[in-house]
Amino acid sequence: MSFYSIGYFLFIFNLQGLHLPIIYIHSCLIRLIIDRVLLGIASILLVSALITTIIFYAPVDPARLSFGQRSDEETIQLYKKKYYLDQPCFVQVFRFFEDLSPVQFIHAKDSRLNDYQFTKIIQISSHFLIFKKPYFRKSYVNGQNVWPQIVEAIPGTLVLALASIIISIIVGMILGFISALKFGSWWDKSILIFCSMSYAIPSYVSAVIVGVIFAYVLGDWTGLQLQGSLWDYDDLGEQKLYLSHLILPVFALGIRPVSMIAQMTRAATLDVLEADYVRTARSKGINMVKLIYKHVLPNSINPILTTISSWFASLLTGSFFIEYIFNYKGLGLLTINALNSFDVPLISGCCIITVSIFVIINFVTDLAYAFFDPRIKLN
């Protein structure tokens, strides 16, 4: 049942004093949300388990990384025993997911309790049933908890990806509409050439080109720096917000999405423009802006939404290269540094958060389909 139908039923049946349809509407929406949430949780668990298993097979000694090569053997063995690093890989993965679980049944003498922030629910013999915060363990390199490092890095990546996708949506849809309405003209051909060229350039290549041109060659005129984060330190050592540091990464990251959104908007708009109702509206002299807003956009939005959502998810991973090149502090730079140092807990935590963001984006996209397109059924 679509959101337009929901409004209709709410109006008609409320006038008649009947509440059954309202209950049905709410049950459809709740069932949709529950199904998507359960599917998302299953996806996160399966993908995270696969990634974590691969990472745990890395040929490194976590204890040696944590304490250094000169640490005594007894300390090394105690550390391995604490996190079950002396056990087979499937046991290590299982124990890691135990640490992530908000509810856990654990032995009262388990040394991991010292790391948890938990509330004891009940004690059964020598075991506790506890409710706790998910524990992503500690970094092998700096010994700090992984979760605070991820929390500190996520806002930078989200701001970068959101800024890139918003600009890409605006520019891409405008170019797509112009190309469709000027089909066959030099406008159309020029936009298609631009889209083909921009899509063919990988993000890390465009980042290098943009950085060299606007920060190195034209740096005296643009005033832009090649490297820097959203929050950075000035000459006096004070941390400040630098929005100018977003310009080059956003530009480099948004070039490819602009081309895809423009091409998808063009194709979807051309299909809709061939419809009889659009031809009739145009023959009546309808205003072009009104034609696009009331007739073209609602009936062409689905493929455009699919492109936008998939590219937004891709921007979160594509930003890894951009962040590394521009030394922009975010989840991508944190992950790459963790990979370079074989920091297994930090790599696992970053991958799990990335997978979770993908699932959330897909969930929001499903709801957006039902909101924008009245033909989409909730059930």
Side-chain angles (χ1 to χ4, degrees):
M1 183 175 292
S2 69
F3 283 107
Y4 288 93
S5 301
I6 289 176
Y8 173 78
F9 276 112
L10 287 175
F11 176 73
I12 296 297
F13 286 95
N14 275 346
L15 289 179
Q16 298 178 5
L18 299 177
H19 301 287
L20 183 60
I22 299 177
I23 297 174
Y24 173 73
I25 291 166
H26 284 297
S27 65
C28 289
L29 183 58
I30 292 173
R31 188 165 61 249
L32 170 72
I33 294 175
I34 292 175
D35 289 344
R36 292 296 184 271
V37 169
L38 292 178
L39 181 62
I41 293 174
S43 301
I44 292 173
L45 291 176
L46 289 175
V47 177
S48 300
L50 176 62
I51 294 174
T52 305
T53 302
I54 296 173
I55 294 173
F56 272 60
Y57 267 113
V60 296
D61 189 343
R64 294 290 180 184
L65 286 174
S66 300
F67 296 106
Q69 297 297 325
R70 297 184 178 181
S71 56
D72 60 280
E73 191 62 29
E74 183 179 357
T75 303
I76 297 294
Q77 294 304 321
L78 288 174
Y79 185 87
K80 289 183 176 181
K81 185 176 181 180
K82 177 179 180 179
Y83 292 109
Y84 300 91
L85 299 176
D86 55 347
Q87 300 294 321
C89 184
F90 72 91
V91 176
Q92 296 182 40
V93 173
F94 175 77
R95 297 300 183 182
F96 179 71
F97 275 89
E98 267 192 342
D99 292 342
L100 296 180
S101 174
V103 179
Q104 185 176 346
F105 191 65
I106 188 171
H107 195 279
K109 295 183 178 180
D110 196 315
S111 59
R112 292 178 298 169
L113 285 172
N114 298 325
D115 297 324
Y116 293 164
Q117 297 181 27
F118 67 94
T119 301
K120 185 172 68 174
I121 300 175
I122 191 174
Q123 181 174 358
I124 302 175
S125 183
S126 60
H127 287 74
F128 294 152
L129 179 64
I130 62 173
F131 179 79
K132 63 180 177 62
K133 292 183 178 180
Y135 179 58
F136 285 80
R137 297 189 178 177
K138 294 181 179 180
S139 168
Y140 290 161
V141 176
N142 55 32
Q144 299 177 4
N145 285 333
V146 167
W147 179 243
Q149 298 180 63
I150 295 176
V151 170
E152 184 180 358
I154 286 177
T157 298
L158 288 179
V159 170
L160 177 59
L162 281 172
S164 299
I165 198 64
I166 290 173
I167 294 176
S168 300
I169 291 170
I170 296 173
V171 176
M173 292 187 70
I174 290 175
L175 292 178
F177 285 132
I178 293 174
S179 182
L181 296 174
K182 302 288 184 179
F183 178 72
S185 66
W186 69 271
W187 278 99
D188 183 27
K189 295 177 182 178
S190 300
I191 291 173
L192 288 179
I193 292 173
F194 165 76
C195 291
S196 299
M197 292 179 60
S198 59
Y199 182 72
I201 303 176
S203 298
Y204 56 88
V205 175
S206 63
V208 174
I209 294 174
V210 167
V212 169
I213 293 176
F214 294 101
Y216 184 74
V217 178
L218 302 177
D220 294 337
W221 289 274
T222 62
L224 299 176
Q225 297 182 13
L226 180 60
Q227 294 186 332
S229 301
L230 186 61
W231 289 93
D232 217 337
Y233 292 95
D234 60 11
D235 296 336
L236 299 177
E238 297 181 359
Q239 195 174 38
K240 292 185 178 180
L241 177 66
Y242 288 91
L243 293 177
S244 61
H245 290 172
L246 270 177
I247 296 176
L248 294 182
V250 166
F251 186 21
L253 191 61
I255 291 178
R256 298 188 75 198
V258 165
S259 64
M260 286 304 300
I261 292 173
Q263 292 184 67
M264 185 58 66
T265 303
R266 176 183 181 273
T269 303
L270 287 175
D271 287 339
V272 174
L273 289 176
E274 295 296 324
D276 293 336
Y277 63 90
V278 175
R279 291 180 179 178
T280 303
R282 296 182 73 175
S283 65
K284 292 181 178 180
I286 188 173
N287 180 272
M288 188 58 64
V289 176
K290 190 175 182 180
L291 175 69
I292 294 174
Y293 175 72
K294 296 201 68 173
H295 298 284
V296 176
L297 186 58
N299 293 284
S300 62
I301 194 65
N302 274 355
I304 299 174
L305 276 177
T306 303
T307 304
I308 292 172
S309 63
S310 61
W311 268 102
F312 180 62
S314 299
L315 289 179
L316 293 171
T317 53
S319 65
F320 285 25
F321 302 106
I322 303 295
E323 291 179 13
Y324 186 74
I325 291 172
F326 290 104
N327 197 28
Y328 180 91
K329 294 180 181 178
L331 190 61
L333 183 62
L334 183 67
T335 305
I336 292 177
N337 290 336
L339 286 168
N340 289 333
S341 58
F342 294 101
D343 197 344
V344 174
L346 190 54
I347 298 171
S348 301
C350 292
C351 290
I352 291 172
I353 295 302
T354 303
V355 171
S356 302
I357 293 174
F358 268 74
V359 171
I360 293 172
I361 291 173
N362 289 331
F363 174 72
V364 174
T365 302
D366 287 341
L367 295 182
Y369 284 153
F371 179 78
F372 283 106
D373 193 340
R375 297 170 297 180
I376 301 297
K377 302 289 185 181
L378 277 179
N379 57 335

